[in-house]
Amino acid sequence: MFRTLASTVLALAACAGAKWIVPGARWYDTDGNLFNAHAGGLCVDQETGKFYWFGEYKVQGQVEGGGISVYSSDDLATWTSHGLALTPIENHTYVSNHNRIQRPKVIYSEETGEYHMWWHADDDSYSWLLQGLATSPNIAGPYTFVSATSPLGNWSQDFGAFTDYKSGRSYALYSNGDRVEGRDVYLSRFNENLTAVEEVTYRFPKYDFEAPTIIQTEKSYFALMSHKTGYRPNNVVALRADNLEGPWSQPFFVSPAYTRTFSTQSGFSWRIAGSKKTTYLYMADQWDLNSLWESRNVWLPIEIDERDGSLEVVWHDIYDLNVKTGEWKPIKGKTYISKHAELSGQAYLQEASFASGNRIATGIYGNDSKVTFTVDGQGTDQWVSFYHQNIDDMGFGDQPQGQPDRINGTWQLRRISSVIVNGDEENVHTLYQKDTHKGIILSTPLLLPLKEGKNTITVGGLYNGFDYKGADLDRIVVYPPEGGRNKGKRFWWW
Ligand SMILES: *[C@@H]1O[C@H](CO)[C@@H](O)[C@H](O)[C@H]1NC(C)=O
Ligand SMILES: *[C@@H]1O[C@H](CO)[C@@H](O)[C@H](O)[C@H]1NC(C)=O
Ligand SMILES: *[C@@H]1O[C@H](CO)[C@@H](O)[C@H](O)[C@H]1NC(C)=O
Ligand SMILES: *[C@@H]1O[C@H](CO)[C@@H](O)[C@H](O)[C@H]1NC(C)=O
Ligand SMILES: *[C@@H]1O[C@H](CO)[C@@H](O)[C@H](O)[C@H]1NC(C)=O
């Protein structure tokens, strides 16, 4: 009953108006469950033209071994679950729940008439470094295991795949491991029937990058990859070339330095050749190392300037994408800065040259030291983005990029704030605030029930396993209701 009603309400909402893309939010499928497909990739159904997204399925307490989930969508915003496309098989050598089944990519093979799923296949200590292949006549699966092989005798770790829209040929992208003999990223052409990698097209030598993907424009190829910092984000880079065989440019950052690509890791990208515009999407993971199953998806438009070969991933809290025309537009919200908010307890405004109005709210802590914003609402659920700075952790392992403000000497990846709307303490909303560099302000969205007229939004600190500190707050932005005319309580079960 619950699910049926929820899907009905969502289906109505989907008709009422375009659904927006909200990077870094909790995404829910049409059954009301968390969108659970990490390090994934898209494939289009040959017959229906529908999008299918495949990714690693992760549940609470289980980091690996969940198999590969699949969702379908017409608009890249509304997703319907089709369960597992590849289900782990007990005691199987390559696809048991003790194996690594990571970074799946699905490509249709015209020769075999089947969908081919490729992934990074490994044991639990990453000692094999293989590529897995499973096939299915149906895009949503179930997929049947075919093989786990080493491409042309080489190691293969983080896996990506890409199809050249001009030649129609598909390519595998893979880093060849962390050992000194490896540390390359390979770009290799698949054979015509997509059953094996047949030739190395280019080797990105010794950069020690991973999580590769390629975006193709009219003139260029851009390969995006991350540095290797595990599940911690870093500054993703791009390299450009006229031909896949190279020469390739020097790597360059794809977003402002120190934002760590808005706390994300690359992994997939997509070209939407719409009727009015070609749009490129960066489709990344915002990993949560403390609880991987809660990791978010961050999909953002990519801006490319062919004149100087530059590419930029640009942050938008919310945008409206039309996959038919290729057009998209950022949604405009109303900004409320901390400088004009009400502070209580030990919370105070501190001078900060990088903050809105030269002041940032700091000292937010537990139940007593809080910041309260008074905002206008429209009597429905509305997205609110919270812009914070959290400098608990400024480095990674042996690559510190500054001194951390550690909580009791422990590296921390996130603070957690409580968000209370109109004093309703029964319904505390949880806001994860990932670490940033000093002076870097990033945002996290929450969907909040606002009433018509004035509302208060109060931010305090919640326990993150170490302390009750909330991150420093710069401002919040309140967005109009999604779909415009949909005024009902759409997400009533939140
Ligand atoms: C898997 O292996 C274990 C240990 O050898 C065995 O007890 C179990 O029956 C096996 N399961 C299947 C489905 O073969
Ligand atoms: C496999 O990797 C080794 C070491 O990086 C390299 O020398 C060799 O050329 C690679 N083979 C192929 C076919 O790329
Ligand atoms: C795919 O093509 C290769 C030759 O490139 C051939 O050896 C193989 O049998 C083909 N496999 C299928 C499933 O068609
Ligand atoms: C905040 O209030 C809750 C509920 O009253 C309580 O459980 C929690 O310990 C308080 N936290 C702090 C840091 O005071
Ligand atoms: C921080 O360290 C002190 C001294 O070791 C200890 O008493 C305190 O409980 C610690 N606090 C947290 C939040 O771990």
Side-chain angles (χ1 to χ4, degrees):
M1 178 59 191
F2 173 85
R3 279 200 187 167
T4 312
L5 187 49
S7 346
T8 310
V9 175
L10 266 176
L12 288 173
C15 298
K19 191 158 157 33
W20 295 338
I21 296 183
V22 189
R26 280 174 189 267
W27 293 0
Y28 289 86
D29 65 20
T30 51
D31 292 329
N33 297 315
L34 266 186
F35 182 73
N36 190 335
H38 306 278
L42 275 183
C43 181
V44 173
D45 187 306
Q46 291 298 303
E47 275 159 33
T48 64
K50 249 184 200 291
F51 297 107
Y52 282 75
W53 177 264
F54 300 82
E56 298 170 26
Y57 182 76
K58 295 183 187 298
V59 294
Q60 191 163 8
Q62 188 184 26
V63 172
E64 301 286 350
I68 302 303
S69 52
V70 56
Y71 295 82
S72 66
S73 176
D74 290 316
D75 61 2
L76 293 180
T78 313
W79 292 94
T80 300
S81 170
H82 299 274
L84 290 181
L86 183 69
T87 307
I89 300 168
E90 197 177 327
N91 298 343
H92 191 282
T93 312
Y94 298 106
V95 292
S96 84
N97 55 17
H98 297 289
N99 289 108
R100 297 290 173 264
I101 308 174
Q102 296 181 343
R103 297 191 178 278
K105 304 290 173 304
V106 174
I107 322 175
Y108 179 71
S109 167
E110 293 198 356
E111 312 263 324
T112 66
E114 302 213 311
Y115 292 88
H116 290 210
M117 178 189 288
W118 287 88
W119 69 92
H120 167 207
D122 226 318
D123 65 352
D124 58 5
S125 56
Y126 295 96
S127 70
W128 297 343
L129 301 173
L130 301 175
Q131 291 178 355
L133 170 63
T135 58
S136 173
N138 308 307
I139 188 164
Y143 284 77
T144 306
F145 177 83
V146 175
S147 62
T149 52
S150 120
L152 303 167
N154 278 94
W155 294 320
S156 176
Q157 196 164 325
D158 275 8
F159 184 81
F162 149 78
T163 300
D164 188 312
Y165 77 84
K166 291 182 180 168
S167 70
R169 296 302 297 264
S170 294
Y171 296 80
L173 284 152
Y174 43 101
S175 53
N176 64 343
D178 305 334
R179 284 186 246 169
V180 178
E181 313 91 281
R183 301 187 183 174
D184 308 307
V185 170
Y186 277 92
L187 166 62
S188 301
R189 200 178 60 230
F190 281 114
N191 61 5
E192 292 276 4
N193 61 22
L194 304 179
T195 54
V197 160
E198 70 178 10
E199 190 180 71
V200 173
T201 306
Y202 188 79
R203 179 159 66 122
F204 297 93
K206 303 301 165 203
Y207 286 116
D208 208 12
F209 290 144
E210 62 183 7
T213 181
I214 286 185
I215 270 280
Q216 181 183 14
T217 65
E218 282 297 312
K219 283 175 64 178
S220 302
Y221 298 92
F222 290 91
L224 277 69
M225 314 176 189
S226 78
H227 296 79
K228 285 184 181 166
T229 49
Y231 285 114
R232 332 267 314 243
N234 58 58
N235 295 301
V236 167
V237 300
L239 306 93
R240 197 205 68 85
D242 291 331
N243 299 297
L244 289 172
E245 295 76 16
W248 287 84
S249 77
Q250 289 266 332
F252 57 90
F253 288 177
V254 301
S255 57
Y258 301 110
T259 62
R260 292 187 285 222
T261 334
F262 315 112
S263 306
T264 70
Q265 182 177 37
S266 48
F268 202 68
S269 54
W270 194 254
R271 171 178 171 275
I272 301 167
S275 57
K276 294 195 177 147
K277 188 177 190 287
T278 300
T279 287
Y280 305 95
L281 282 188
Y282 169 76
M283 304 172 102
D285 294 288
Q286 187 172 67
W287 297 112
D288 189 322
L289 179 55
N290 295 355
S291 50
L292 276 181
W293 67 278
E294 284 183 294
S295 299
R296 313 288 173 95
N297 302 76
V298 170
W299 296 355
L300 291 167
I302 294 174
E303 287 177 12
I304 290 170
D305 188 341
E306 296 278 18
R307 288 166 303 181
D308 61 359
S310 65
L311 173 155
E312 203 179 339
V313 173
V314 183
W315 179 264
H316 297 285
D317 285 339
I318 303 178
Y319 58 99
D320 190 358
L321 171 71
N322 183 329
V323 296
K324 298 277 184 286
T325 65
E327 295 167 306
W328 61 273
K329 62 171 198 301
I331 303 301
K332 287 197 185 65
K334 189 167 174 189
T335 299
Y336 300 87
I337 66 175
S338 296
K339 188 179 179 178
H340 297 151
E342 199 181 305
L343 278 67
S344 69
Q346 308 296 306
Y348 66 103
L349 292 171
Q350 188 173 15
E351 179 179 328
S353 61
F354 52 85
S356 303
N358 211 38
R359 293 289 182 280
I360 199 162
T362 191
I364 298 166
Y365 194 95
N367 297 331
D368 306 321
S369 300
K370 298 184 164 185
V371 181
T372 297
F373 299 87
T374 300
V375 308
D376 296 319
Q378 296 188 38
T380 185
D381 288 347
Q382 288 174 249
W383 289 105
V384 180
S385 284
F386 295 77
Y387 280 78
H388 75 273
Q389 174 197 238
N390 167 6
I391 55 175
D392 286 341
D393 174 15
M394 298 289 293
F396 172 76
D398 59 357
Q399 307 153 29
Q401 293 165 320
Q403 286 302 305
D405 290 359
R406 301 183 197 184
I407 299 171
N408 261 13
T410 309
W411 303 94
Q412 278 310 300
L413 289 163
R414 67 177 189 205
R415 294 189 188 183
I416 305 181
S417 279
S418 59
V419 175
I420 292 171
V421 180
N422 296 322
D424 180 8
E425 299 195 5
E426 297 294 305
N427 292 297
V428 177
H429 303 262
T430 307
L431 180 68
Y432 291 161
Q433 299 165 310
K434 298 184 76 70
D435 60 311
T436 67
H437 276 274
K438 289 187 175 75
I440 296 293
I441 293 173
L442 299 175
S443 75
T444 309
L446 281 182
L447 191 68
L448 298 177
L450 299 186
K451 61 185 188 197
E452 188 110 36
K454 297 289 174 209
N455 293 261
T456 59
I457 294 179
T458 302
V459 184
L462 285 176
Y463 194 57
N464 73 341
F466 294 87
D467 206 344
Y468 291 90
K469 280 186 190 174
D472 299 338
L473 260 196
D474 179 66
R475 64 191 188 278
I476 67 173
V477 181
V478 178
Y479 289 93
E482 193 168 357
R485 38 195 154 131
N486 175 42
K487 286 238 170 190
K489 276 209 96 190
R490 218 179 90 191
F491 296 107
W492 52 267
W493 64 90
W494 283 20

